[in-house]
Amino acid sequence: ERRRQGMGSLEPDNPVYIQIRAQRETLDSTERSLVTKQAELRARRAEARVALVESMQLQERYYTRHNTYAAYSADEPHPGFRWWSGPGAKKSAYELVAGTCEGAGLAECVELRALPGTANVDPLFADTNCGAMFLRSDGKRGAHGPAAGCWP
């Protein structure tokens, strides 16, 4: 019946079958790659959130002793504070920066930012959906990218 309608045989030796099968394998491979990349991206965002929370805990301890928060960055590190998010600077997805909140001094508020893929950490990492993530001592948190759900 199929041969009369011009479809030919859909057997493994048919060129159309071979082409469709190759396209399906390519799509399956692409889908697996995207799923893997999404999982890695979620893990790296979690790395940033954990680093921000841990750094904020250190900031609160620092504030208790010194009545001010500490500013730091990769260019101006501060003893006791890490400026990277992961196990080591070059293996980290995010660079951490601590500075003042808008309209306030360090004696009142600190804003911690996790900057994705800078030259000081893994420069190949990028997160265009969430962008830089932040956590403030006044409890505000978020991200500067267009995506929602960066802080679940």
Side-chain angles (χ1 to χ4, degrees):
E1 181 71 36
R2 285 186 179 165
R3 286 181 191 248
R4 280 187 275 162
Q5 294 175 356
M7 294 196 56
S9 171
L10 290 179
E11 299 297 324
D13 61 340
N14 182 311
V16 173
Y17 176 88
I18 294 169
Q19 182 180 16
I20 290 171
R21 183 175 170 193
Q23 289 173 347
R24 181 172 177 236
E25 289 172 2
T26 299
L27 288 173
D28 288 346
S29 175
T30 301
E31 181 183 19
R32 281 191 304 275
S33 176
L34 288 173
V35 167
T36 300
K37 286 180 184 178
Q38 286 297 318
E40 180 181 333
L41 191 55
R42 283 191 302 274
R44 297 317 273 290
R45 287 178 186 153
E47 171 186 301
R49 289 190 302 269
V50 166
L52 288 171
V53 169
E54 287 176 351
S55 185
M56 186 59 74
Q57 290 171 342
L58 291 172
Q59 286 281 3
E60 293 300 340
R61 283 189 216 130
Y62 186 88
Y63 185 86
T64 300
R65 288 190 299 262
H66 302 281
N67 219 25
T68 188
Y69 293 103
Y72 65 86
S73 67
D75 296 329
E76 296 181 33
H78 193 284
F81 292 95
R82 282 189 347 195
W83 53 263
W84 61 89
S85 60
K90 290 301 177 186
K91 292 184 178 183
S92 294
Y94 293 85
E95 177 180 340
L96 303 180
V97 176
T100 60
C101 298
E102 187 176 330
L106 282 173
E108 298 145 1
C109 184
V110 66
E111 180 176 284
L112 305 176
R113 291 180 304 281
L115 311 174
T118 70
N120 295 315
V121 292
D122 179 0
L124 299 178
F125 177 75
D127 186 352
T128 56
N129 289 326
C130 288
M133 299 171 70
F134 68 90
L135 177 62
R136 293 173 42 154
S137 59
D138 62 7
K140 292 181 182 169
R141 63 184 187 186
H144 294 292
C150 297
W151 279 89

